[in-house]
Amino acid sequence: MSNQYFIINLRVYLDKDQPTYIGEHSLYKLLSDFSCPGNPDVEFFLLHNAIEFTKKDQSITYLVFSESDAALVGYFSLAIKPISICAANISKTMAKKLARVSILNQKQTPILLLLI
């Protein structure tokens, strides 16, 4: 199988010590061309969460580029670890914000499990 694609960890674009550093603004511009009409959640994560999650060490995102023209053709992200928070200890506003990336565990003590 020929190498039709190459993969780059998103972090190398954000690390000032790497020769591949382009900075956050340029990285957002690079990612803005990505589109996934078949799954808007996939597109939303890359465009709105991937950089922040990488900076906070919540996930690792790898960008997949075409070897022929260096076009961004996809990505995959790996969650670093699940986080659990007792829902009784947070405000309703914070619970709503966390609900975007979590589920409420109803079986035991109310805990929000963040699934990234």
Side-chain angles (χ1 to χ4, degrees), residues 5 36 44 51 56 72 74 78 80 82 90 93 99 101 105 114:
Y5 306 99
C36 185
F44 184 87
I51 293 173
K56 294 177 183 177
L72 177 62
L78 306 171
I80 304 299
I90 60 173
T93 302
V101 293
N105 180 351
L114 299 181

Side-chain angles (χ1 to χ4, degrees), residues 24-81:
E24 197 170 328
H25 178 74
S26 295
L27 182 55
Y28 274 113
K29 189 172 180 174
L30 171 76
L31 299 180
S32 68
D33 289 337
F34 182 79
S35 171
C36 185
N39 191 337
D41 291 336
V42 168
E43 183 176 332
F44 184 87
F45 178 83
L46 184 63
L47 300 178
H48 301 282
N49 297 118
I51 293 173
E52 285 303 314
F53 283 18
T54 297
K55 288 172 27 183
K56 294 177 183 177
D57 293 326
Q58 294 175 327
S59 70
I60 300 172
T61 298
Y62 294 90
L63 304 176
V64 181
F65 294 92
S66 168
E67 186 76 42
S68 62
D69 61 1
L72 177 62
V73 295
Y75 77 93
F76 58 95
S77 289
L78 306 171
I80 304 299
K81 61 184 175 183

Side-chain angles (χ1 to χ4, degrees), residues 53 85 87 90-105 111-116:
F53 283 18
I85 301 168
I90 60 173
S91 69
K92 289 182 181 180
T93 302
M94 182 57 71
K96 286 180 185 178
K97 289 179 182 178
L98 292 172
R100 293 183 306 123
V101 293
S102 65
I103 58 172
L104 181 61
N105 180 351
I111 293 178
L112 287 170
L113 297 176
L114 299 181
L115 303 176
I116 300 169

